[in-house]
Amino acid sequence: MTNGIAWIGAHHYSPKSAELPGMLGGISLTAARGLEPDEFLMALGADPDELEARIRFRDLTVPVGRPGESSPRVNPVMYGACGEWVYVLEDWGMASWSTGFRKVEAMWPRPGEEVVCLSENRFSLPARILHVPGDEKVRQAEFGADTGEGSALDDALSASGAVFPAIADAGEAAVVAYYEEHGPRLPEAVFTAVGDYCGLSVDEWAVQSGELPGVVIPMP
């Protein structure tokens, strides 16, 4: 089952299942190009030895604290590569890159490195799009809007129907009515646009079953 990455957005509101060995609902995506995949994962805090082992996500062992100590705050993620892009999938409610790039110097993209991030933003709604097109400047937008840069990514968002009318243009009542009618399809439209822009395809079965490689990174 490969359908670009639109399927990730289609399951945006699906509940997380403890019985699922992989991921399905509420997935955040970070994709980067212009650097080596392992380099990007180590910038997020991955252990080089764990990366080298190429452990399946379903087989990851999450460290726990010693008796009397609190467990370390870590996040198991799934990752892969498609064309020029390395991608990281997370289902804890946020994208680690989106919460950490301002605080962790290693996460900050260098000239020529591009990052596209879709964060569910569960703890600080609404969901957000972040884009660094290679110039070290972060553009951001909420789901339902574009970044205002007139970029190829913005064009893809418009083409997929992921740019909804704004209150300043259509009025509050019309915008509320539009979101009520079309809001449920918005995450799918956003992921469709990013998949088209990046040429990114991620196998749904491999993600659900936890067959993609996984690694444990520190919680931001």
Side-chain angles (χ1 to χ4, degrees), residues 107-198:
M107 290 189 193
W108 190 262
R110 294 168 296 194
E113 296 175 353
E114 182 171 9
V115 177
V116 180
C117 181
L118 301 177
S119 179
E120 186 193 13
N121 252 28
R122 187 185 306 162
F123 311 112
S124 183
L125 294 170
R128 297 193 68 82
I129 305 162
L130 297 90
H131 185 209
V132 184
D135 59 2
E136 300 182 273
K137 296 179 181 179
V138 181
R139 284 77 167 172
Q140 297 192 47
E142 299 176 357
F143 277 27
D146 62 26
T147 68
E149 293 291 313
S151 64
L153 175 59
D154 285 346
D155 290 343
L157 290 165
S158 294
S160 72
V163 180
F164 282 14
I167 291 176
D169 299 324
E172 184 175 359
V175 169
V176 169
Y178 192 91
Y179 269 82
E180 287 178 349
E181 181 179 358
H182 300 286
R185 70 168 178 82
L186 177 56
E188 183 174 2
V190 172
F191 276 87
T192 295
V194 170
D196 290 345
Y197 171 74
C198 298

Side-chain angles (χ1 to χ4, degrees), residues 33-170:
R33 67 175 171 179
L35 70 173
E36 293 299 318
D38 284 5
E39 183 183 1
F40 183 66
L41 287 154
M42 284 188 286
L44 293 177
D47 179 82
D49 292 335
E50 192 173 48
L51 277 175
E52 186 177 357
R54 296 292 186 254
I55 304 166
R56 292 186 306 175
F57 179 84
R58 64 186 297 155
D59 297 328
L60 278 178
T61 300
V62 179
V64 296
R66 297 177 181 177
E69 298 180 358
S70 60
S71 298
R73 297 181 71 249
V74 294
N75 175 32
V77 306
M78 199 178 299
Y79 66 92
C82 181
E84 300 177 292
W85 297 85
V86 55
Y87 59 85
V88 177
L89 307 177
E90 311 174 60
D91 66 352
W92 64 281
M94 305 287 283
S96 293
W97 183 85
S98 72
T99 63
F101 73 89
R102 290 186 179 88
K103 299 177 289 185
V104 181
E105 184 177 354
M107 290 189 193
W108 190 262
R110 294 168 296 194
E113 296 175 353
E114 182 171 9
V115 177
V116 180
C117 181
L118 301 177
S119 179
E120 186 193 13
N121 252 28
R122 187 185 306 162
F123 311 112
S124 183
L125 294 170
R128 297 193 68 82
I129 305 162
L130 297 90
H131 185 209
V132 184
D135 59 2
E136 300 182 273
K137 296 179 181 179
V138 181
R139 284 77 167 172
Q140 297 192 47
E142 299 176 357
F143 277 27
D146 62 26
T147 68
E149 293 291 313
S151 64
L153 175 59
D154 285 346
D155 290 343
L157 290 165
S158 294
S160 72
V163 180
F164 282 14
I167 291 176
D169 299 324

